[in-house]
Amino acid sequence: MSSCWELHGAAVLLRPVVKEDIATLDRIVREPEVAAWWSVPDDYDDMLAIVLDGQVIGAIQYDEETDPEFRHASIDIFLTTGRHGQGLGTDAVRTLARWLIHERGHHRLTIDPAVANTAAVNSYRKVGFKPVGIMRAYGRDYRTGGWADGLLMDLLADELT
């Protein structure tokens, strides 16, 4: 992970994943409600653990486009099923977005949930992300084995809520 050590949200802490987190993250990503939207990563080296009260409850990652013509960052997240619907994913995304904008200097962020993942879409809207368009047959649908449409959403720096 780049120069991000610990980021404090309203409720969650984001920090680089350590070896001791891997078994927990492997278990979380295999939960049926998480596995519907995520495949098991090859590694967690480029992720931040989402920590609540000392417990790892998920992971979040970002990628940066450094070409000055197209500079922006993208975000991806998964959270243990037992913590869905509590605003913790929104807090984690907002915390990382704030860091990417204010510390890394990005003017634009993207996130690309499956269209059918309405809970994720609603969460990202709370941070200020806006739908840009549908990406047809964008990613694997782990529920059916086919392809699923993705919703491209973006956030401009002054839209962060």
Side-chain angles (χ1 to χ4, degrees), residues 96-132:
L96 183 57
R98 187 176 300 120
W99 181 77
L100 288 166
I101 291 167
H102 297 296
E103 301 299 323
R104 301 293 295 163
H106 290 284
H107 75 286
R108 180 175 169 269
L109 307 177
T110 63
I111 200 160
D112 56 0
V115 169
N117 192 347
T118 55
V121 171
N122 291 334
S123 174
Y124 307 150
R125 283 180 188 271
K126 291 175 187 172
V127 177
F129 282 88
K130 294 178 174 31
V132 175

Coordinates of all heavy atoms in Angstrom, one line a residue, residues 96-132:
L96 N -12.0 7.0 2.8 CA -11.0 6.8 1.8 C -11.1 7.9 0.7 O -10.1 8.4 0.2 CB -11.1 5.4 1.1 CG -10.0 5.0 0.1 CD1 -8.6 5.2 0.6 CD2 -10.3 3.7 -0.5
A97 N -12.3 8.2 0.3 CA -12.5 9.3 -0.7 C -11.9 10.6 -0.2 O -11.2 11.3 -0.9 CB -14.0 9.5 -1.0
R98 N -12.1 10.9 1.1 CA -11.6 12.2 1.6 C -10.0 12.2 1.5 O -9.4 13.2 1.1 CB -12.0 12.3 3.1 CG -11.7 13.6 3.7 CD -12.2 13.8 5.2 NE -13.7 13.6 5.2 CZ -14.3 12.7 5.8 NH1 -13.7 11.8 6.5 NH2 -15.6 12.7 5.8
W99 N -9.4 11.0 1.8 CA -8.0 10.9 1.8 C -7.5 11.0 0.3 O -6.5 11.7 0.1 CB -7.5 9.6 2.4 CG -6.1 9.4 2.4 CD1 -5.1 10.0 3.2 CD2 -5.3 8.6 1.5 NE1 -3.9 9.5 2.9 CE2 -4.0 8.7 1.9 CE3 -5.7 7.7 0.5 CZ2 -2.9 8.0 1.2 CZ3 -4.7 7.0 -0.2 CH2 -3.3 7.2 0.2
L100 N -8.2 10.4 -0.6 CA -7.8 10.4 -2.0 C -7.9 11.8 -2.6 O -7.0 12.3 -3.4 CB -8.6 9.4 -2.8 CG -8.3 8.0 -2.6 CD1 -9.4 7.1 -3.2 CD2 -6.9 7.6 -3.2
I101 N -8.9 12.6 -2.1 CA -9.1 13.9 -2.6 C -8.1 14.9 -1.9 O -7.4 15.7 -2.6 CB -10.5 14.4 -2.4 CG1 -11.4 13.6 -3.4 CG2 -10.7 15.9 -2.6 CD1 -12.9 13.7 -3.1
H102 N -8.1 14.9 -0.6 CA -7.3 15.9 0.1 C -5.8 15.6 0.3 O -5.0 16.6 0.3 CB -8.0 16.1 1.5 CG -9.3 16.7 1.4 ND1 -9.7 17.9 0.9 CD2 -10.5 16.1 1.8 CE1 -11.0 18.1 1.0 NE2 -11.5 17.0 1.5
E103 N -5.5 14.4 0.3 CA -4.1 14.0 0.5 C -3.4 13.6 -0.8 O -2.2 13.8 -1.0 CB -3.9 12.9 1.6 CG -4.4 13.3 2.9 CD -3.8 14.5 3.5 OE1 -2.5 14.7 3.4 OE2 -4.5 15.3 4.2
R104 N -4.1 12.9 -1.7 CA -3.5 12.4 -2.9 C -3.8 13.4 -4.1 O -3.3 13.1 -5.2 CB -4.0 11.0 -3.2 CG -3.7 10.0 -2.1 CD -2.3 9.7 -2.0 NE -1.8 9.0 -3.2 CZ -0.5 8.9 -3.6 NH1 0.4 9.4 -2.8 NH2 -0.2 8.4 -4.7
G105 N -4.7 14.3 -3.9 CA -4.9 15.4 -4.9 C -5.8 15.0 -6.0 O -5.7 15.6 -7.1
H106 N -6.6 14.0 -5.9 CA -7.5 13.6 -7.0 C -8.7 14.6 -7.0 O -9.3 14.9 -6.0 CB -8.0 12.2 -6.8 CG -6.9 11.2 -7.0 ND1 -6.5 10.9 -8.3 CD2 -6.1 10.5 -6.1 CE1 -5.5 10.0 -8.2 NE2 -5.3 9.8 -6.9
H107 N -9.1 14.9 -8.2 CA -10.3 15.8 -8.4 C -11.5 14.9 -8.7 O -12.7 15.4 -8.7 CB -10.1 16.8 -9.6 CG -10.1 16.2 -10.9 ND1 -9.1 15.4 -11.4 CD2 -11.1 16.2 -11.9 CE1 -9.5 14.9 -12.6 NE2 -10.7 15.4 -12.9
R108 N -11.3 13.6 -9.0 CA -12.4 12.8 -9.5 C -12.2 11.3 -9.0 O -11.0 10.8 -9.1 CB -12.5 12.8 -11.0 CG -13.6 11.9 -11.6 CD -13.7 12.1 -13.1 NE -14.6 11.1 -13.7 CZ -14.1 10.0 -14.1 NH1 -12.9 9.6 -14.1 NH2 -15.0 9.1 -14.6
L109 N -13.2 10.7 -8.5 CA -13.1 9.3 -8.1 C -14.2 8.5 -8.8 O -15.3 9.1 -9.1 CB -13.4 9.2 -6.5 CG -12.5 10.0 -5.7 CD1 -12.9 9.8 -4.2 CD2 -11.0 9.7 -5.8
T110 N -14.0 7.2 -9.0 CA -15.0 6.4 -9.6 C -15.2 5.1 -8.7 O -14.3 4.7 -7.9 CB -14.6 5.9 -11.0 OG1 -13.4 5.1 -10.9 CG2 -14.4 7.1 -12.0
I111 N -16.4 4.5 -8.9 CA -16.7 3.3 -8.2 C -17.7 2.6 -9.2 O -18.4 3.2 -9.9 CB -17.3 3.5 -6.8 CG1 -17.2 2.2 -6.0 CG2 -18.7 4.1 -6.9 CD1 -17.3 2.5 -4.5
D112 N -17.7 1.2 -9.2 CA -18.4 0.6 -10.3 C -19.2 -0.7 -9.8 O -18.9 -1.8 -10.2 CB -17.5 0.2 -11.4 CG -16.3 -0.7 -11.0 OD1 -16.2 -1.0 -9.8 OD2 -15.5 -1.0 -11.9
P113 N -20.2 -0.5 -8.9 CA -20.9 -1.7 -8.4 C -21.8 -2.3 -9.5 O -22.0 -1.7 -10.6 CB -21.9 -1.0 -7.4 CG -22.1 0.3 -7.9 CD -20.8 0.8 -8.5
A114 N -22.1 -3.5 -9.3 CA -23.1 -4.2 -10.2 C -24.4 -3.4 -10.1 O -24.8 -2.9 -9.0 CB -23.3 -5.6 -9.8
V115 N -25.1 -3.3 -11.2 CA -26.4 -2.5 -11.3 C -27.3 -3.1 -10.2 O -28.1 -2.4 -9.6 CB -27.0 -2.6 -12.7 CG1 -28.4 -2.1 -12.7 CG2 -26.1 -1.8 -13.6
A116 N -27.3 -4.5 -10.1 CA -28.3 -5.1 -9.2 C -27.9 -5.0 -7.8 O -28.7 -5.3 -6.9 CB -28.3 -6.6 -9.6
N117 N -26.8 -4.5 -7.4 CA -26.3 -4.3 -6.0 C -26.9 -3.0 -5.5 O -26.1 -2.0 -5.3 CB -24.8 -4.4 -5.9 CG -24.4 -4.6 -4.5 OD1 -25.1 -4.4 -3.5 ND2 -23.1 -4.9 -4.3
T118 N -28.2 -2.9 -5.3 CA -28.8 -1.6 -4.9 C -28.3 -1.1 -3.6 O -28.3 0.1 -3.4 CB -30.3 -1.8 -5.0 OG1 -30.7 -2.8 -4.1 CG2 -30.8 -2.0 -6.4
A119 N -28.0 -2.0 -2.7 CA -27.5 -1.5 -1.3 C -26.2 -0.8 -1.5 O -26.0 0.3 -0.9 CB -27.4 -2.7 -0.4
A120 N -25.3 -1.3 -2.3 CA -24.0 -0.6 -2.6 C -24.3 0.7 -3.3 O -23.7 1.7 -2.9 CB -23.1 -1.5 -3.4
V121 N -25.1 0.7 -4.3 CA -25.4 1.9 -5.1 C -25.9 3.0 -4.1 O -25.5 4.2 -4.1 CB -26.4 1.6 -6.2 CG1 -26.8 3.0 -6.9 CG2 -25.7 0.7 -7.3
N122 N -26.9 2.6 -3.2 CA -27.4 3.6 -2.3 C -26.4 4.1 -1.3 O -26.3 5.3 -1.0 CB -28.6 3.0 -1.6 CG -29.8 2.8 -2.4 OD1 -30.0 3.4 -3.5 ND2 -30.6 1.8 -2.1
S123 N -25.5 3.2 -0.9 CA -24.4 3.6 0.0 C -23.5 4.7 -0.6 O -23.1 5.7 -0.1 CB -23.6 2.4 0.4 OG -22.5 2.8 1.2
Y124 N -23.1 4.4 -1.9 CA -22.2 5.3 -2.6 C -22.9 6.6 -2.9 O -22.2 7.7 -2.9 CB -21.7 4.6 -3.9 CG -21.1 3.3 -3.7 CD1 -21.2 2.3 -4.7 CD2 -20.5 2.9 -2.5 CE1 -20.6 1.0 -4.5 CE2 -20.0 1.6 -2.3 CZ -20.0 0.7 -3.3 OH -19.5 -0.5 -3.1
R125 N -24.2 6.6 -3.1 CA -24.9 7.9 -3.3 C -24.8 8.8 -2.1 O -24.7 10.0 -2.2 CB -26.4 7.6 -3.6 CG -26.6 7.2 -5.1 CD -28.1 7.0 -5.2 NE -28.5 6.4 -6.5 CZ -28.8 7.1 -7.6 NH1 -28.7 8.4 -7.6 NH2 -29.1 6.4 -8.7
K126 N -24.8 8.1 -0.9 CA -24.7 8.9 0.4 C -23.4 9.6 0.5 O -23.3 10.6 1.2 CB -24.9 8.0 1.6 CG -26.3 7.5 1.7 CD -26.5 6.5 2.8 CE -27.8 5.8 2.8 NZ -27.9 4.7 3.7
V127 N -22.3 9.1 -0.1 CA -21.0 9.7 -0.1 C -21.0 10.9 -1.1 O -20.2 11.8 -1.0 CB -19.9 8.7 -0.4 CG1 -18.5 9.3 -0.4 CG2 -19.9 7.6 0.7
G128 N -21.8 10.8 -2.1 CA -21.9 11.9 -3.2 C -21.6 11.3 -4.6 O -21.6 12.1 -5.5
F129 N -21.4 10.0 -4.7 CA -21.2 9.5 -6.0 C -22.5 9.6 -6.8 O -23.6 9.4 -6.3 CB -20.8 8.0 -5.9 CG -19.3 7.8 -5.6 CD1 -18.9 7.7 -4.3 CD2 -18.4 7.7 -6.6 CE1 -17.6 7.5 -3.9 CE2 -17.0 7.5 -6.3 CZ -16.7 7.4 -4.9
K130 N -22.3 9.8 -8.1 CA -23.5 10.0 -9.0 C -23.4 9.0 -10.2 O -22.3 8.7 -10.6 CB -23.5 11.4 -9.6 CG -23.8 12.5 -8.5 CD -23.8 13.8 -9.2 CE -24.2 14.9 -8.2 NZ -23.9 14.8 -6.8
P131 N -24.5 8.4 -10.6 CA -24.4 7.5 -11.7 C -24.0 8.2 -13.0 O -24.4 9.3 -13.3 CB -25.9 7.0 -11.9 CG -26.5 7.3 -10.6 CD -25.8 8.5 -10.0
V132 N -23.1 7.6 -13.7 CA -22.6 8.1 -15.0 C -23.2 7.3 -16.2 O -23.6 7.9 -17.2 CB -21.1 8.1 -15.1 CG1 -20.6 8.5 -16.4 CG2 -20.5 8.9 -14.0

